[in-house]
Every structure is written in C-alpha cells, then in structure tokens.
C-alpha cells in the first residue's frame, strides 16, 4: 500500500494525558525528594534549592504542555496532512507529522506546517476513536509525508 486511506482523527487534551503528566511529575518530585534526603548537611542547602527549582520548572513545563492541548482533528486526505481547528480545516502539501512517542494505544505527535510560525504537539489515543485508530497509524507509518522513525540525531523519511 503506497499511501493509507483518508482519515480524520481527534487529538488533544484527555483525562489519560492529564493522569500521565501528573504521574510523570510526581515520579520526578519523589526522585528529587530522595536525592535531597541522601545529601550531606554541607551540600544540602544549595543542591536542594537547585533540585527544587528544577522540579518546579518541570511541573510548569508539563502544565504548559497540558494547557496548549486543544480539541483538534488531525486530517489525512490520502496525500496531505492537515489540522482542523474549530470549524475550519487546513490541509497543506508541505505539512508533516512526526511520531515522537508511540505507546501503541497512544501517540505523541509533532505537526509541522511551514505556513505556521511554530510546530504543534498533538496527543492522540485509541480510546478517542477506536475504529479509526488503525487508519491513523497506517497513515502515520505508510505515508511518504510522515516521519516514520525518530532516532539518535537523524530523522528518516519513508519514500
């Protein structure tokens, strides 16, 4: 199959994403707490402050990511990617979607469109539209307009 069939799939903020981001931050906060408790008294104040600041900045970054997630629809028309926001859909021949994290039942995607000022992070999960999940994955991995591997320093496109 050269290109996957057309599909429109909902992406954006979900309760599962909120739970995963919270769990990620809590795990980091627990590691910071354990590191602070293991330090010797002479180093504790300075290092504790740095670790606490890092933990707060990480939490702020995760919160910012969460707030930027909006209800959108990722569109693959069989040849080009697009993003539907509100009632309007924009499909662009130069738009690309990169799979940055594939969890089989959920995926973190990066939507790159040269006509936009910055790229958009998208969260997609099977539970949002189970019948179309397979079609989305086919479009992501079989399309010549999709990045199929994101590895150490190189992005390989499928042709």
């Amino acid at each position: 199959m050269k290109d996957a069939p057309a599909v429109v799939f909902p992406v954006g903020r979900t309760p599962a994403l909120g739970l995963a981001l919270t769990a990620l931050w809590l795990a980091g906060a627990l590691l910071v707490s354990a590191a602070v408790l293991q330090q010797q008294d002479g180093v504790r104040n300075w290092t504790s402050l740095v670790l606490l600041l890092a933990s707060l900045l990480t939490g702020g970054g995760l919160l910012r990511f969460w707030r930027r997630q909006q209800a959108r629809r990722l569109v693959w028309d069989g040849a080009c990617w697009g993003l539907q926001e509100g009632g309007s859909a924009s499909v662009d021949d130069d738009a690309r979607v990169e799979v940055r994290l594939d969890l089989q039942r959920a995926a973190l995607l990066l939507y790159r469109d040269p006509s936009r000022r910055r790229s958009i992070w998208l969260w997609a999960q099977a539970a949002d539209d189970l019948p179309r999940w397979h079609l989305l994955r086919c479009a992501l991995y079989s399309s010549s307009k999709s990045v199929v591997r994101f590895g150490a320093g190189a992005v390989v496109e499928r042709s």
Side-chain angles (χ1 to χ4, degrees), residues 68-147:
R68 287 181 174 248
Q69 293 299 303
Q70 302 172 17
R72 298 178 174 114
R73 293 189 176 280
L74 186 60
V75 178
W76 169 251
D77 67 2
C80 300
W81 287 103
L83 199 58
Q84 183 178 6
E85 299 177 276
S88 64
S90 62
V91 176
D92 189 347
D93 189 42
D94 294 328
R96 300 282 188 265
V97 176
E98 299 177 8
V99 179
R100 291 296 179 103
L101 178 65
D102 186 347
L103 301 173
Q104 298 300 311
R105 305 301 283 168
L108 181 63
L109 310 171
L110 184 60
Y111 180 80
R112 294 182 184 267
D113 185 348
S115 66
R116 292 179 182 259
R117 201 166 51 118
R118 51 173 58 167
S119 300
I120 300 173
W121 288 98
L122 304 172
W123 178 256
Q125 64 184 36
D128 289 344
D129 193 348
L130 195 55
R132 291 190 183 135
W133 178 247
H134 179 70
L135 294 175
L136 175 66
R137 288 181 56 83
C138 287
L140 289 169
Y141 285 104
S142 68
S143 161
S144 62
K145 300 276 185 176
S146 294
V147 175

Side-chain angles (χ1 to χ4, degrees), residues 22-72:
T22 303
L24 183 65
W25 182 77
L26 284 174
L30 286 174
L31 288 173
V32 164
S33 300
V36 167
L37 292 175
Q38 294 294 324
Q39 294 172 355
Q40 297 174 357
D41 289 333
V43 187
R44 184 173 290 185
N45 293 336
W46 171 250
T47 310
S48 299
L49 182 62
V50 170
L51 289 173
L52 178 62
L53 182 61
S55 179
L56 291 174
L57 288 174
T58 301
L62 292 173
L63 182 61
R64 182 174 183 223
F65 175 78
W66 168 257
R67 287 187 173 167
R68 287 181 174 248
Q69 293 299 303
Q70 302 172 17
R72 298 178 174 114

